[in-house]
Amino acid sequence: MRKVVYYLSTCDTCKKIMSQLDLNDFEKIDIKNSPLSEPQLLELYVITESYEELFNKRSIKYRTLGLNQQNLSENDYKEHLLKEYTFLKRPVFLVNGELFIGNSKKTVERLKDRFGHS
């Protein structure tokens, strides 16, 4: 049973969500210190079948680089995710082949329903 959370240690939202869950048996990967590798990204892609779904379009760099003005392909999203950790929508919980991506209220509620409070 594989349980991993990809998060950013400097992100208060990630910390808040993670503090509400029992993550004792999770592998915790701080993407700032350990950026996503291609095999890790592929593992997430196999489940979502979309790099765009994993991509954080609210990232400051998304606008700064003008990516919001471009028509990005799946391969473009993949390349940006591998180059820049801030482009991963976070946190990402991978639990036995099931993904919980981002910090939307709906996603957080699904997580709490699935794992309960800590």
Side-chain angles (χ1 to χ4, degrees), residues 22-51:
D22 179 4
L23 301 177
N24 288 327
D25 54 348
F26 276 75
E27 178 183 356
K28 298 167 197 80
I29 300 175
D30 181 354
I31 59 174
K32 186 172 185 176
N33 298 322
S34 300
L36 274 179
S37 67
E38 195 156 355
Q40 288 170 323
L41 183 58
L42 181 60
E43 181 179 32
L44 301 178
Y45 176 79
V46 166
I47 299 167
T48 63
E49 298 182 348
S50 168
Y51 291 112

Side-chain angles (χ1 to χ4, degrees), residues 44-107:
L44 301 178
Y45 176 79
V46 166
I47 299 167
T48 63
E49 298 182 348
S50 168
Y51 291 112
E52 184 177 4
E53 190 175 331
L54 297 164
F55 197 87
N56 179 9
K57 293 183 179 177
R58 295 188 316 186
S59 165
I60 293 170
K61 281 200 174 194
Y62 180 66
R63 291 182 301 282
T64 305
L65 296 175
L67 300 178
N68 58 329
Q69 303 297 320
Q70 298 176 27
N71 187 11
L72 299 176
S73 68
E74 277 293 297
N75 198 53
D76 292 331
Y77 285 117
K78 175 186 176 185
E79 293 304 315
H80 287 295
L81 283 163
L82 290 171
K83 278 193 250 181
E84 178 57 50
Y85 70 87
T86 61
F87 286 137
L88 181 66
K89 194 183 291 184
R90 58 195 181 267
V92 174
F93 289 84
L94 170 61
V95 186
N96 306 324
E98 186 177 4
L99 277 181
F100 300 85
I101 304 166
N103 57 32
S104 73
K105 189 173 184 176
K106 182 178 176 183
T107 299

